[in-house]
Every structure is written in structure tokens, then in C-alpha cells.
């Protein structure tokens, strides 16, 4: 017993020391508004990237897809390095170049040897300041993107989440897909892409983030050398403030009985990035847990929904989500099931939501908090994940929230908080629903809405 206590104490101390020993994130803002942030470590490699406040939410119906198109074009040559010369120079360093576009941010990052950091900063500055947008490359990439759109249509999970955004945020910019429509991709011109770059790729909207075996001072010096001349505003002036995206309780059903499995996503409006309720909702999602048929354990799963799904063969997979944006979010769950299990699985999932609102226990909150701590620490494994964490945090929160602070926020959550916050966002709220496939068994919207509360005497 004494040995177990000693071991336990040593483990707790080690975790606490780990939280305190994470290197400080240093942030410097250049005169033109570019934020330069880094976390230094003893790694032989580094990841350096640009996180930009731009995405499909900043597009309108006519330009939707421009950001995704620009992301494709960014790797196809600059004015200094035409054609494939840019990618060849990255490869000559033995480096790895990547990028992505989402609804509210765009990122380009390079993983390389630490000694090559100044060169990587120069490459990234060339990428965003001198994108060539050659007509021949535009036409070539147009074909590539159209093919990608066809492939994305075969991913029913992605289609379901796009439908969920389309119905939840109908009539607003968040309803747009990141990739844009086929019609837009066929129609977008070089002038449209150049206008997008000129409007959004500006210093105050960017974070230059780095993690690994680098010096913050050297990073700032490289940034001053290559980004100082970057304009603060576009020719048309500053980007207008984001319009509020109003959430609407509604549904989209795309029934296709030829498909083998039904995809159902149901969500209520969640909080924006900076809202402290996010931590409590993430604990709630950890209580719900996720399930896949490939999991071992069967009906002995620790999560109630997973145990029921395994015992009664309710679904192929189930996963809760909490997707946040600057001023709103989607809190919900997605599951894939056989056509004749849709009703039972939805009943089970909504019943778990009601249980979270009314009778969450301390024991399951403790288990969920430990799971969340583990997941949070695992997110910072490797320079690329750390770099993305730095870049995203500065865009979302204006600062990087240290792991120690996240741990304190998680520790403060108890069962009453989970019940109260879940009641605030879930109980008696109108959900948004997206359903694709053989969904004949999916009940009428009003029946689903009536399961968002309990009649208790």
C-alpha cells in the first residue's frame, strides 16, 4: 500500500512538473502587425508556418472556393521561383511542405532541419507575397480541384457535415463549403484569385509560428528581413468585420436507398472559440465517448452509448463533436448505422444528452477529465502539432494558452457544471439535422425536437 502511494505521488509530481517545464511561447509583433511566435526546444528539426485569418467564411456566394483554389496555386510557383522551382527548392532542403484551408483560417507550413529555419522563412514569405497565379497553372489546377470535388462527394461523412453547416447557418457565410461549388471553380478567374490574395494575405491577419530547435531572436530577424515590406491593408482597404452567423434549427435530408448505410449528424449551437464553456462541453463529449465496431470490449465499454451500441448493434460508428468558430459553434454527434437502426440509435444518443443535462455523476466526470488531459497532452507531440497549436491559438485567442492553464480549467469542472452547461446549450433547444443515405426510418423533425427535453413530474 505504501509503495503504491509512493508510486502514485511520483506520477502526479511528474505530470505537474511536465506542465511547468513546457518552454515558454515567445511572441513579438512587427511594426506592420505580423505576429511572430515560437516555442524553443532541443529538437534537430523545426516546423515553421503561416496561419492566416482567411477562409470560406470570408467569401461570398460568387467567390466561394477562391481560398481553396489559392491554396492549390500557392505551391505551383512564385514570381521568383516559377513553375515547379518552388517545390524543388523545398525538396532540396529535405523539407516537407503542406497547407490547408478551413472556414476561418488558412495555413502553410514547412517541416525542415533546424539549421534551415531562415531559408524556410524566406520561402514562406515568397509563397504569400509573390504567388505567380500563372494562367496555364490555373487551368491545370482547375481540373485537379474539380476531380477532388468528385472524390469528396463519395465521402458521405464530409457531405453530411457540409449539409449540417448549410442548414444550421443557412443564408450566412458559414453555410459555404470550404472547397466551393463546381460552378464557382469552373468560373473563378485569375483576377478573382489575385483579389483574394490582395485582400487577405496581409501582415495584421497573419501569425508566423515556429516550434523546434530554433532561436526566437533569429526567427524575428528572419521575419523582419522578409516580411517588413508586406502591406498592412489591401488596395481596397481593410477587410470588413465578420457578420454574425445566425444558427437555425432546421434539417436537410438527402435520402438515397441505394446506399448501404445512413449518416446522421445532429447539432445544437455551441459557443465560440474564446468561451470558457468549451472546456465543460469537451468534458461532456468525453463522457459520451466515441465508438466504432472495430473497438474491443463489446458491451463492456466504459461509455454508456458505446456499451449500448455494441450490445444491441445500433451503429457502425458514433462520435460527438464540438466545432468552434469565432462567435458560434456546432455541438453535436454523428453516427453511421444500418437503415433499420437509425431510430434506435438516435433515441439512445438523445437520451444520453438528456442524462448529461439532468444526472451526470462525479465519477464519470473524473474519468472524462483524465481522458481530456491525455488527449490535450498528446496534441503537443511533435514540432508540427506544437506549431499548429501556436498559430491557431494566436488567431483564436490572441495568445497561446499554456497547457498548465488548460489543466487548471479542466480540473475546475465538476458534475454540476456539466449539468448546467449542457442544459444551457442542449436542453429544449432546436437542433440542426443533416441526414444522408437510406434514412426512411429517421423520424419527423418535430418528433426529434420533442426528444430535446423530458417531461418530469
Amino acid at each position: 500500500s505504501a509503495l503504491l502511494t509512493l508510486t502514485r505521488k511520483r506520477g502526479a509530481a511528474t505530470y505537474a512538473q511536465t506542465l511547468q517545464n513546457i518552454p515558454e511561447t515567445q511572441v513579438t509583433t512587427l511594426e506592420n502587425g505580423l505576429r511572430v511566435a515560437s516555442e524553443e526546444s532541443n529538437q534537430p528539426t523545426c516546423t515553421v508556418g503561416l496561419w492566416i485569418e482567411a477562409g470560406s467564411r470570408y467569401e461570398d456566394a460568387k467567390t466561394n472556393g477562391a481560398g481553396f483554389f489559392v491554396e492549390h496555386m500557392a505551391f505551383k510557383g512564385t514570381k521568383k521561383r516559377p513553375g515547379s522551382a518552388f517545390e524543388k527548392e523545398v525538396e532540396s532542403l529535405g523539407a516537407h511542405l503542406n497547407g490547408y484551408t478551413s472556414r476561418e483560417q488558412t495555413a502553410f507550413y514547412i517541416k525542415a532541419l533546424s539549421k534551415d529555419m531562415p531559408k524556410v522563412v524566406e520561402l514562406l514569405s515568397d509563397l504569400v507575397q509573390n504567388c505567380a497565379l500563372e494562367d496555364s497553372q490555373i487551368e491545370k489546377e482547375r481540373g485537379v480541384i474539380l476531380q477532388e470535388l468528385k472524390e469528396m462527394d463519395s465521402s458521405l461523412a464530409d457531405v453530411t457535415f457540409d449539409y449540417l453547416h448549410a442548414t444550421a447557418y443557412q443564408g450566412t457565410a458559414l453555410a459555404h463549403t470550404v472547397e466551393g461549388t463546381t460552378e464557382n471553380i469552373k468560373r473563378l478567374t485569375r483576377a478573382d484569385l489575385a483579389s483574394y490574395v490582395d485582400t487577405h494575405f496581409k501582415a495584421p491577419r497573419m501569425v508566423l509560428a515556429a516550434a523546434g530547435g530554433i532561436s526566437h531572436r533569429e526567427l524575428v530577424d528572419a521575419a523582419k528581413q522578409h516580411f517588413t515590406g508586406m502591406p498592412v491593408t489591401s488596395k481596397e482597404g481593410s477587410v470588413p468585420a465578420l457578420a454574425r452567423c445566425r444558427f437555425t434549427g432546421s434539417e436537410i435530408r438527402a435520402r438515397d436507398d441505394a446506399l448501404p448505410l445512413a449518416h446522421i449528424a445532429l447539432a445544437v449551437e455551441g459557443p465560440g472559440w474564446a468561451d470558457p464553456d468549451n472546456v465543460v462541453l469537451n468534458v461532456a463529449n468525453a463522457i459520451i465517448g466515441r465508438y466504432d465496431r472495430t473497438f474491443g470490449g463489446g458491451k463492456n465499454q466504459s461509455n454508456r452509448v458505446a456499451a449500448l451500441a455494441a450490445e444491441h448493434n445500433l451503429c457502425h460508428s458514433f462520435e460527438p463533436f464540438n466545432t468552434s468558430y469565432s462567435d458560434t459553434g456546432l455541438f453535436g454527434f454523428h453516427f453511421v448505422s444500418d437503415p433499420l437502426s437509425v431510430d434506435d440509435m438516435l433515441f439512445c444518443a438523445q437520451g444520453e444528452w438528456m442524462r448529461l443535462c439532468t444526472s451526470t455523476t462525479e465519477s464519470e466526470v473524473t474519468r472524462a477529465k483524465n481522458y481530456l488531459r491525455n488527449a490535450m497532452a498528446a496534441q503537443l507531440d511533435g514540432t508540427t502539432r506544437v506549431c499548429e497549436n501556436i498559430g491557431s491559438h494566436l488567431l483564436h485567442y490572441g495568445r497561446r494558452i499554456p497547457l498548465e492553464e488548460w489543466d487548471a480549467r479542466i480540473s475546475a469542472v465538476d458534475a454540476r457544471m456539466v449539468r448546467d452547461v449542457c442544459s444551457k446549450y442542449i436542453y429544449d433547444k432546436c437542433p440542426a439535422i443533416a441526414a444522408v443515405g437510406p434514412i426512411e426510418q429517421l423520424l419527423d423533425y418535430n418528433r426529434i425536437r420533442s426528444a430535446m427535453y423530458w417531461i418530469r413530474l
Side-chain angles (χ1 to χ4, degrees), residues 87-96 110-113 115-117 119-120 123:
E87 287 186 308
K88 283 180 179 175
E89 190 158 344
V90 172
E91 288 171 10
S92 71
L93 297 174
H96 177 70
I110 298 175
K111 186 176 178 71
L113 292 172
K115 68 180 179 63
D116 293 324
M117 181 273 291
K119 183 67 176 176
V120 168
L123 285 166

Side-chain angles (χ1 to χ4, degrees), residues 15 19 273 275-276 278-279 282 373 376 379-380 389 393 397 400-412:
Y15 177 66
L19 292 179
W273 274 111
D275 196 309
N278 267 315
V279 174
N282 287 336
R373 286 187 183 100
M376 181 181 65
Q379 285 178 353
L380 304 181
N389 190 260
H393 274 211
Y397 309 116
R400 189 184 183 200
I401 301 178
L403 205 58
E404 196 174 7
E405 185 176 330
W406 283 124
D407 183 73
R409 290 188 187 189
I410 292 170
S411 297

Side-chain angles (χ1 to χ4, degrees), residues 137-414:
Q137 289 287 357
I138 288 174
E139 294 311 312
K140 185 179 176 183
E141 284 306 304
R142 198 189 304 275
V144 171
I145 294 171
L146 289 171
Q147 185 59 38
E148 277 188 32
L149 292 180
K150 284 183 183 177
E151 292 171 8
M152 287 173 187
D153 284 345
S154 64
S155 172
L156 295 185
D158 292 339
V159 170
T160 304
F161 276 97
D162 281 342
Y163 279 152
L164 186 66
H165 282 82
T167 190
Y169 296 112
Q170 54 191 275
T172 74
L174 274 179
H176 299 150
T177 64
V178 173
E179 301 80 19
T181 63
T182 301
E183 293 74 20
N184 278 10
I185 297 301
K186 288 179 178 176
R187 189 177 59 232
L188 285 169
T189 64
R190 185 186 186 284
D192 294 324
L193 304 185
S195 174
Y196 183 91
V197 171
D198 176 63
T199 302
H200 299 289
F201 287 16
K202 293 292 169 266
R205 303 175 64 80
M206 291 185 180
V207 174
L208 178 67
I214 49 96
S215 157
H216 183 73
R217 183 181 296 174
E218 289 178 11
L219 180 69
V220 171
D221 289 344
K224 285 179 178 175
Q225 183 180 347
H226 300 296
F227 285 95
T228 301
M230 178 174 262
V232 176
T233 58
S234 67
K235 292 164 192 167
E236 286 125 22
S238 59
V239 179
L242 282 177
R244 174 85 168 93
C245 285
R246 185 173 50 84
F247 179 92
T248 306
S250 53
E251 66 177 357
I252 288 181
R253 299 183 183 219
R255 181 176 170 183
D256 184 350
D257 291 343
L259 295 171
L261 299 171
H263 283 254
I264 315 290
L266 185 144
V268 290
E269 183 172 21
W273 274 111
D275 196 309
D277 287 344
N278 267 315
V279 174
V280 186
L281 291 176
N282 287 336
V283 171
N285 272 350
I287 293 172
I288 296 171
R290 52 189 290 270
Y291 170 74
D292 190 279
R293 274 188 170 179
T294 60
F295 289 3
K299 64 181 182 180
N300 299 311
Q301 304 276 342
S302 58
N303 308 105
R304 186 170 172 273
V305 175
L308 289 170
E311 184 176 2
H312 301 290
N313 198 24
L314 296 180
C315 67
H316 286 240
S317 64
F318 171 91
E319 186 163 24
F321 57 86
N322 182 24
T323 305
S324 293
Y325 298 105
S326 57
D327 56 352
T328 183
L330 291 175
F331 178 80
F333 54 81
H334 165 254
F335 67 86
V336 182
S337 74
D338 292 315
L340 297 178
S341 302
V342 170
D343 183 20
D344 288 340
M345 185 61 214
L346 188 61
F347 176 83
C348 174
Q350 286 190 278
E352 183 68 356
W353 262 6
M354 294 301 97
R355 195 183 69 80
L356 284 175
C357 294
T358 57
S359 47
T360 307
T361 64
E362 292 292 353
S363 61
E364 60 189 354
V365 169
T366 300
R367 174 176 55 80
K369 283 157 67 173
N370 287 334
Y371 170 84
L372 206 57
R373 286 187 183 100
N374 183 49
M376 181 181 65
Q379 285 178 353
L380 304 181
D381 186 16
T383 60
T384 301
R385 286 183 168 189
V386 172
C387 187
E388 180 170 13
N389 190 260
I390 294 170
S392 296
H393 274 211
L394 262 74
L395 286 186
H396 297 150
Y397 309 116
R399 67 187 180 101
R400 189 184 183 200
I401 301 178
L403 205 58
E404 196 174 7
E405 185 176 330
W406 283 124
D407 183 73
R409 290 188 187 189
I410 292 170
S411 297
V413 176
D414 58 22

Side-chain angles (χ1 to χ4, degrees), residues 76-92:
K76 300 304 173 188
T78 67
K79 291 165 188 173
K80 287 172 63 178
R81 299 174 173 91
S84 61
F86 187 89
E87 287 186 308
K88 283 180 179 175
E89 190 158 344
V90 172
E91 288 171 10
S92 71

